[in-house]
Structures are given as structure tokens and as C-alpha cells.
Amino acid sequence: MSTDQYLPLVALVALPILGGLLVGLLPKGNPALPKQVALVVSLLTLALGVVVGMAYQLPQDGGAPFQLGASWEWIPAWGVSFALGVDGIALMLILMTAILVPVCILGGWADADATSGSPRGYFAWILVLEGLVLGVFAATDVFLFYVLFEAMLIPMYFLIGRYGGAQRQYAAVKFFLYSLAGGLLMLAALVGLWVVSADQLGAGTFDYAALVGLDIPVETQKWLFLGFFIAFAIKAPLWPLHTWLPDAASEAPPSSSVLLVGVLDKVGTFGMLRLCLPLFPDASKYFAPAIIVLSIVGIVYGALLAIGQTDLKRLIAYTSVSHFGFIALGIFAMTSQGQSGATLYMVNHGFSIAALFLIVGFMATRRGSRMIEDFGGVQKVAPVLAGSFLVAGLSSLALPGLSSFVSEFLVLAGTFTRYPAAAVVATLGIVLAALYILLMYQRTMTGPVRPGVEGMADLRGREVLAIAPVLALIVALGVFPQVALDIINPSVDQTMTAVGSTDPAPVVAEGK
Amino acid sequence: MVHLAVPMAETLTFPSLQYRAMAPILIVLGAAVLGVVVEALVPQAARRAVQLAVTLGGLATALVFVVATPGSELGVVAGGTLAIDGPGLFLQMTILVVAIAAMLVVAERRVDPAGDAFAPRASSLVGSGEEQEQTRRGWSQTEVWPLSLFAVGGMLLFVTANDLLILFLALEVMSLPLYLLAGMARRRRLLSQEAAMKYFLLGSFASAFLLYGSAMLFGYAGSLDFAAIADAFRDKPGQLGLQVIGLTLLGAGLLFKAAAVPFHMWAPDVYQGAPTPITGFMAGAVKVAAFGALLRVMYVALGGAAWEWQPAFWVIASVTMLVGVVLAVTSSDIKRMLAYSSVAHAGFLLLGVVAFSTAGLSATMFYLLAYGLTTVGAFAVVMLVRGPSGEAGHLSSWAGLGRTSPVLAGVFALFLLALAGIPLTSGFTAKFGVFAAAIEAGGVWPVIAAVVASAISAFFYLKVIVLMFFARPGPDAPAVVVPSLLTTTAIGVAVVATLLLGVFPQAFLDLASGSTPFLR
């Protein structure tokens, strides 16, 4: 245990959870009060996130790989600690989460009003979820990671099951059972890992650094890797374990969809990067080609299904299946470019998906439908809404100058140096992305104004406040990606060292 | 050591008795005898209060004696027939805590408009004029208390028995009162009596198996003493027939009480038919006692033959878990569902038993503590959800409970999450312990089966939570009765234990691992 505990990071995890409890206990009478309190709590959390970000020292300035640590013994009998700490990868995702939650609260101001549940409950669960996700990103104890990983399910389950659309119960149960099945496989692997650590170190431990230092036999690694990986692949979700996502994301209220796809699912890809690779380096290399194939299939399959959707939210959910394929591709290409790109992709995808889901949510509330066929000519009646949607969509299809371009380029370039064929096929995903985004835009926003759309109001003050910062970040990260990459790159190199993987040397074509 | 045939010429020497070490057992059995006297001498009106005082007082005093047992008193006592050791005391403590919580629920009188959960006179014909008269006069069956005390006394003896004959006696002292208690329900008496009959008949078979197995092992080892049997397994090869038959029959008898597959058939019927407070008592305390005895027999007496029983037990554990959860998925009655869930939990517990290590021993004991308290709490909640004709057993009538009584539904959801093994509840800590012990012992496949079973079990626990929170209440929605302080206390204890053992388990993990190993 270190002597100086960095408390702001602990506060960052605790504040939203305590705030959530507070919101849940507010008196019933005033429906606006929980929203206001929740917004204040989430903004305070964001401020704390900025404090943590400022305290983070880049490794080139002498910072340790994991910093700002705080740790207390929790269950010493099993070597479990309540231990937090961040590296560059975790820091980026923590900041993304802290930014997206106030955006979701503003954007989802009215999401709970028309449902049978109470607004108190809705915003309380959102805050609790934020705290748990921040805890997962910051955990440096694998047991703590697992506990928070499982606990995340409960708020999300209530957000979907109580506040969602017509099929909400089906979607919520499907989401929960899929995730729980994955989580239990992870539990078996976790127990196995603990037994290995007990064998090798004399006493079982869950300390991340100690576990990374283990020398696990390859055969054991393979089994343990699968336990963790399948859990993360369900969460991410990776083809063919993605089938819960379209249901859950389309039935959840828009702000919860953002949290589900933009934040919660990142835990899956984060887990691959944080746990699967460094803990099981040999197994990761063994399974990498298979996972690359799955990722490629996911990229193309998700994109093709997105093109065929008639429901706007389902369409966006399928684009995410495609994009998570890119992220997994970048991670398992085992190059520093690919992994940096994948990490940046997680952040960028969070912002673009937030804008897309929220705007579609605004449209659906105004029109009373989320089917593509019910829209048309929206840009004539609601130009700001249409324009924002276009920017978010263009970011999603990786237009140069917008944020996703940088990350997608890095992923493809990083993949190409090791798996050229995979990179070529994955590029198809970009072409298809142009197709599904632009087709969607064309059908809903352009053309003659369809009946039912005539009186559609443009974005209002609160909605502009929610969308504007996200769009600003999309542009800013598109133009100045280096700020983020400076934080991400050293931590990715750290991961690469732990895996014992080096970038392939560039092949110089000899004298032609 | 017990010698069955005492030569006539020898003078009978009495073993010296260590009264301090045996005090908890003597106190509970003494309180039970006192309870019988109370039945005979105290007038009807005052009887319930006196019995309640005797029962809770007896159990609490015994608990104090268990907890305060000095280390110097530990040892094999009473002429080698009882082992008062760490595991024995831990299990006795667990049984007493669970029993006290269960007795608080048994004492509840505010829930049923006609009185407590028991028929005024179990001997009266169901629905006869005689019975109506007794109900009208507000009679109640206070024999419930001494019967329960005898059962608890039997359990305390069962987990410390170090001798096959004492083991059998303890089994009977524990079981006979339970057979009676199962048949005393005020509502749905025929179901209750049928349950008692089934439990008695099948239980008698199991006792016979246990006795026959003991005889075989006596034939093999020449002694009923656990330590002597263990020595025989070490020093006396051969006579495989006697070994295997004895081991199998003894195991069958114990697994019956533990409700492991294929000896689980009685559980759903008995759990459903018995008065709900008694079901909670059985599901909680009997499980502890059965596994306590199973642990001691397998680890101490049959430890030398571990290579014989371990493979079979891996299979039984896996099958028990899977059969339990699959049957639970299909059941539509809440008590039957919890009964099948208890079968599944027997499987999880067996993982710890079959690991055959100190880690397995302490993990199993921790599991018993966690499971016992959660189960008593869960059945107490079941008792409170009532329709016009008694408890609302069918799952459909639990719909919308989260809207009408959010606190009770929340508490029940917590118990279900704990039974499902969700992190931060006692069930998770317990499962983690037995999984780790099983993997250490090489049981990777049984643990994978356990993970699959956990996933399936999540489905039916979740089904109830979904019903309670997301469904709308039906037209004949049951009313939730506000219980008296007694049941509220029991449920409160269960909630605190479920959270405490889940979030801050360290002290109890230390207690369990500090209580190992068995003395012999």
C-alpha cells in the first residue's frame, strides 16, 4: 500500500454514486428537482475529472505508467484491495464518461417523463451507473474490476426495463442474461487466475501489477483468456455475440442508449486492452488471427445490416457493431498505431454516437416515430437539427477533419503493417459507412417535407446546450488529435511491452 | 470408542463427560425438556409467551456458550463420541443463529388473521366442526416450540458427532420433530400432511441407509469411531466390498438430508407443503446440519478413501447443480422454486466438500452461514405475501409487488440476487470461495458446470424480480401484511448478514478459516 493516497480519483468514483443515492431519496413532489440535482452532480464530477486530468503526469515528463493511485485492503484473505489508479488509456475514457453524462442528462431531460417510472429513479440510476463505470476504468485490482463490471448491469437493467420503449422488458432481460452469462465465464477465469497466483506467489492476489508479472503456462493462459475475452466480446459487442445490442439500444430511452453504447460497451474493449493482452500475452497472440477475422466480419456485417434498417435507432446500433469491429481490430493487430487508434476510436465513437442517438431521440419525440419512412425534408423545417445530425453522421463515417477519421486511419494503418489483407477488407467498412450515413440523411432530412414533419420544431436551448459541446469536441479532436494521442501513446507502448509485441519493421522495397 | 459387545465380566466404566464443551447441546435439549414440562403445567393462555421465552432464551444461552467456548475445552470429548473442534463450533454457531432467526418467524401471529401458521390441533380433522371451534377460541399449537428445540439439539449433536452411532441418534433426534412440524400447517392442511408423510417415509429410508452403511463400516473397521475408521482405511487394505458398500450407503443417507440429486425428490413437496416458517427453518438450519455432518464424515472418517468418493462426488455436485436449476426454471410456485434452488445450492456446497482441503472446508462453512441466513429471510418474505386463502404461492400473483410494496420487494430482490450470486452480496463471496477451492483441487469441469448453472439460475431469480418491478399488479393482487417486530427482526438480520457478508466478508472469512481443521 502506498503511503500517499490520491483522493480526488476516489472522490470521482464516489461522488456520482452518492449523488445518485441523494437523487433517489429526493421528495416526490417536484419533478424538475431530481434533474437539476443530477445535472449539478454530473458537472461536479466532470470538474473532478478535469482535476484528475490536470494532476496526471505524462510519462515523458516523469510520470509512472499507473499514477494517482489509492488503495486500501478490502478482503485480505483473498488479496483483494480497493485499489484505483489511471494510465493514459483509462484517463481518456474517464474524461469521455465524465463529459458524456452531463450531456446525457441535459439531452435526456424529458426521457423519463412519458414513462411509468419516476424521473428521480431515472437520474439516480444514471449517476450510479456513471460512478460504477468510472470505477471500472480506474480499478487496478482485478477483483474490484469484476465486481464493478457486474454491478454496472443493475442500473442499466433498470434504465432499459423501466424507462424504455414497448419491448423494454424483453430487451432488458436479454441484455442482462447475455451480460451475466459473459460475466460468469469471467468469474470462472478470475477464480482460475487467482489459483494460479496463489500457486506462484504463495498467496493469492488480485493486484493488477502482480498478476501481470505472473508466468502462466500457455495452455492455462488460453482457457483464462477465453473466459475474460468472451465476457468482453459480449459487452463490446463483437460479432457474433452482438445480438442483444440492437434490441437494448433501440428500446432504451435515447440518453440511456448513449450511455449503453457510448460508455458501457467501451468497458468491453477497454477490458481487452487492460486485462486480456497484458495478463495473457501468449494466448492473445494465439487467438489474435481468429479475433481479427471476427472483427472484420463484424465490420462488414454491422455495416450491411445498418444499411437495411428501417428504424433509426436500430440503424445506429448496427453502425456501432461495425465500429466496435474496428476497435477490436486495432487492439488485436498488436501494433502501437493500431492500439492507439483503437483507444482514440473508443473516445471518438463515444462522442459521435452520443450526438446521433440524442438527435434521433429528439426527432422521435417530436414525430412520435423513429421509422425512417416517417421522416423527410427535416432540414427545411429544422435546419439546426439537420445540420448537427449531418456533422455527427460525417464524423461517424470518418470524414477527414472530424475526429473519427484520425482513429480509423490509425487502426487501418496499424493493421496493414501486420495483416494487410484484413486492413483492405476493413476499408470496405468505410465505404459502407458512407452509404448508411448518407442514405439515412438523404431519406430523413432532404427531399420534400413529409406529412407529420411540417410543424417539427428545431433544436431548443437545452438541446443545443447538450449537442454543442459534443460537436465541438468532434471537430477539436479531428483537428488536434495529438493532444489525446500524447496521453494515449505511452500507455499503449506500456501494454505492447507487457505483451512482448513489437511493431513489424517497415519493409523497404529493394531496388526496383 | 463404543464397543457394542461389552463382555459380561468387565465392569462398565462410564466415560468422563466434559460438561463445558457439551454445554450448548445440553442447554438446548434441556430447554426442550423444559418446554415439554411447560406444555403440561402452564395454562393455555400463558403458554405461548412462556414457550417463546424458553425457546429463545435457550437458543441464545447456547449461542453465548458456543461463542465463549475457551480454546482449552476443544477436543474429542465424551469418550470419543463428540468432537468439539473449530468446525464443530462454527457450525453450531451457524445453526443457532439461523434457528433463532427462524424461531422469530415461527412466532409471528399477526400475519394470518386466524393466528400463527400452525393448525390449532394437528390431530383434528381438517375443516371439522371441532377444528373450527378450536380456531374460534384462538387455540394455538405450542408444541411447535419444544419440537423445534429438539430438532436444533439434534442438529448441534449431528455436526459434532464423532461416532457413527451418535451420528445416527442425532439424525433421528433432528428429523423426527421435523416430520411432525411439516404436517402442521394451518392452511392447505392436506398438502401439509402429504408433505409430512412423504418426508417421513423417504427420511426413514435415508436413516435406514445410513444405519446399514454404518454397520458395513463397522464390519470393515471394527469400530464406530471416526478416528478408528480413518485408521482402518489407512492400515487395512482389502475388503473393498465392505468399504464401498458402507461408504455408498452412508453417503446416500447424508446426501438425502442435504437434498442432493438423486436424493432430492422430497424437497419441493416438503418445502411447499410445510408451514412456511418451518420451511425456512428446514431450508436454512437442516442444510447446515446435513453439510456439517457430511463434511466431518467425509473429511475425518472417510478421508483416507478420498480417492474412492471424490470422483463420484464431482459428478453428483455437477448433476445436482444442473438438475436443480433446470427444475427451478420450470416451477411456477415460489416455494417450489426456492426448493429447487436449494437443491442447486446443495450442488454448489458439494463443490467445497469434494475439494477435500482446508480451503474447501472453510469455504463450505462460510457458504452455509451465508445461505442459511439469506434463506430464512427469503421464506419469511414469502410468508408475508398473502391472498384471500393464505400465502400467494403462484408466481403470477407476485406481479407488481414492487409498485405496491417497494421495500418488501426490494428486500426480496436482494435475497434473490444473493442466491443468484451477484457480487456485493453474501452469495457471491460464498460462491467465489467454493469455486476457488474446487479449482485448486483440480475440479475445473465441475466449476464450469457451476458457472453454467449460475447463469441458468440467474434466469429464474430474475424472472421474479422482473415480475415484481416491471409487471402490473393483476386483478387478484395479494396483500402484503405488515409483520410484527419478531419477523421484522428476522428479516432485518438476514438483510444485514446478506450485505455484510457480501461487502465486508473479511472477519467472517477469517472466522471460518480460523476454525479449521477438524480434530480427530
Side-chain angles (χ1 to χ4, degrees), chain B residues 238-252:
Chain B
Q239 289 187 294
L240 205 62
L242 280 182
Q243 278 186 34
V244 171
I245 295 173
L247 201 152
T248 311
L249 293 176
L250 188 61

Side-chain angles (χ1 to χ4, degrees), chain A residues 74-78 157 169 180 191, chain B residues 429 432 436 455 458 466 470 503 506:
Chain A
W74 180 14
I75 312 175
W78 296 340
Y157 173 70
Q169 283 179 35
L180 194 75
V191 175
Chain B
T429 325
F432 186 90
V466 170
F470 296 155
V503 183
Q506 184 59 35

Side-chain angles (χ1 to χ4, degrees), chain A residues 72-206:
Chain A
W72 291 272
E73 281 199 338
W74 180 14
I75 312 175
W78 296 340
V80 175
S81 305
F82 183 88
L84 301 177
V86 291
D87 65 352
I89 300 171
L91 182 67
M92 287 311 293
L93 290 168
I94 284 173
L95 288 175
M96 178 197 79
T97 308
I99 293 170
L100 280 182
V101 171
V103 165
C104 285
I105 290 176
L106 266 178
W109 204 255
D111 277 359
D113 293 353
T115 61
S116 56
S118 68
R120 286 187 304 166
Y122 189 72
F123 291 96
W125 284 126
I126 284 188
L127 288 177
V128 170
L129 180 69
E130 180 183 17
L132 296 174
V133 173
L134 290 174
V136 172
F137 288 140
T140 53
D141 182 282
V142 183
F143 188 89
L144 180 66
F145 179 97
Y146 173 77
V147 166
L148 295 173
F149 181 84
E150 289 286 65
M152 284 185 330
L153 295 183
I154 295 169
M156 199 66 231
Y157 173 70
F158 280 99
L159 287 175
I160 301 174
R162 196 156 234 191
Y163 300 94
Q167 295 290 313
R168 59 181 182 273
Q169 283 179 35
Y170 168 78
V173 170
K174 193 169 174 184
F175 158 77
F176 196 91
L177 289 180
Y178 257 85
S179 304
L180 194 75
L184 285 164
L185 285 178
M186 184 168 153
L187 173 63
L190 190 75
V191 175
L193 184 64
W194 185 80
V195 171
V196 172
S197 79
D199 273 354
Q200 295 195 1
L201 305 174
T205 182
F206 284 105

Side-chain angles (χ1 to χ4, degrees), chain A residues 22 27 29 67 71 100 141 145 155 163 192 203 205 208 228 237 239 270 272 316 319 326 392 394 396 422 429 511:
Chain A
L22 173 73
Q67 325 175 10
S71 126
L100 280 182
D141 182 282
F145 179 97
Y163 300 94
T205 182
Y208 177 71
F228 279 92
W239 186 88
F270 173 75
M272 295 176 193
I316 298 172
T319 69
F326 272 110
L394 290 178
S396 185

